[in-house]
Amino acid sequence: MKRLKILPLSLRGKKRYVKVVCRELLPQNFEISVSNSFKKLFGMLGFSFAKIKIVYKKEREIIFKCSHEYVPYLIVAICIASFGTKTFPKIRGISGSIKKLKAK
Amino acid sequence: MNFFDVIIPEKIHKRNIIEFIETAKWFGYGKICFIFPAKAIKKKDKIESILNESANTTVKTYFGFYARKMKELLKLIKLRRNFDLLIVEGGDLNLNRKACETSEVDILLNPEFNRKDSGMNHIFAKLAAKNNVCLGISLKKFLSTFEYKEVISNIALNIFLAKKYGMKITLVSGASKIEEMVDPLSLVSLGKILGMELKEAKESASRVLTNIIEENLKRKRPEWIAPGIEVVKK
């Protein structure tokens, strides 16, 4: 099957990476609960425009990728997903490149 | 940035308060204020001793009281010099108005709580701006009511009125359990979503409350008489 030519950088939407560090171990379905709370609060339209993806996941760290306009929305969704649990997620950093973010 | 949070603990236990302080340290808060119900004013000395014992070098602690009824508010106003912060939990229209009219009150927390309207109008906002009363938005109350119709739009309306008439805004977690504490950046993000600029949202989670506490610490001194009036020794 023929693949589409990749869009040039100038035509792609801007993205940001959000690094989250937890005090306890990350729960198994953390990313699912984040996307569920995002959909509940901002709807399916907001969820599709936000383009949320998980780039990197470790025991206590997780890196989300999303559209640069939807960073505050994602942070609130993370907060709601972990509200009332002892996960205590902390936003370690927001950056345009993974290399910089991993160093934080 | 030195973030500030307001916590409303369920119990006055040393262990509970130490856990709150440790969690605040993990999230990077510089200062936290524990708010207790008006009934607990009798246990003021106990609260002070617990906070002194659990003092931490990185997180500064303060304490205050909240009022839910008019009687409680009038009682707390009389004893205003004995504590750092006075909060009125909104909801009742008369109480909201009284809070806006009283300069001893520091924060009017969630005036739209349990109401179909926003609990505040342009007159309240003007009065509050004149008497230095802040509009407080508690994340805990937001999360417990955001599913209901028009709650978010009412909060956004209150923020709009506060911005227009020069009323200060504070964003707090209002946690009653340790699990309800949140990262300060999520408070800032919530403020941005609800219609604040990024700089305003950051200030409302940090500098606004710090300034209020500094002003209140001045009030505790015996030389203080009224805002702007002090006894000066020659």
Side-chain angles (χ1 to χ4, degrees), chain B residues 144-162:
Chain B
S144 62
T145 54
F146 81 89
E147 288 167 5
Y148 300 118
K149 196 181 154 190
E150 293 177 356
V151 168
I152 298 177
S153 67
N154 283 337
I155 297 173
L157 176 65
N158 284 343
I159 288 177
F160 168 76
L161 286 172

Side-chain angles (χ1 to χ4, degrees), chain A residues 21-24 37 40-42 69 71-76 79-80 82-92 94, chain B residues 19 22-28 139-140 142-143 146-147 152 173 178-183 185-187 189-190 192-193:
Chain A
V21 183
C22 296
R23 196 158 82 169
E24 306 290 321
S37 59
K40 199 175 174 185
L41 195 55
F42 307 111
E69 288 171 348
V71 173
Y73 296 78
L74 175 65
I75 292 172
V76 172
C79 162
I80 291 171
S82 61
F83 192 78
T85 63
K86 284 198 172 180
T87 320
F88 300 120
K90 182 182 173 185
I91 311 297
R92 184 56 68 81
I94 302 156
Chain B
E19 280 182 347
E22 278 174 6
T23 317
K25 194 180 169 186
W26 157 256
F27 281 126
L139 185 93
K140 194 196 167 186
F142 171 80
L143 291 182
F146 81 89
E147 288 167 5
I152 298 177
S173 72
I178 301 147
E179 299 95 69
E180 289 167 356
M181 282 191 81
V182 291
D183 187 65
L185 265 181
S186 45
L187 295 175
S189 305
L190 181 73
K192 210 177 169 232
I193 290 168

Side-chain angles (χ1 to χ4, degrees), chain B residues 57-79:
Chain B
T57 48
T58 46
V59 185
K60 280 187 179 178
T61 51
Y62 303 95
F63 76 100
F65 296 94
Y66 70 81
R68 275 183 183 155
K69 290 171 190 168
M70 191 68 86
K71 266 188 183 177
E72 291 175 350
L73 178 60
L74 295 173
K75 190 182 165 189
L76 287 175
I77 287 169
K78 282 180 190 169
L79 304 164

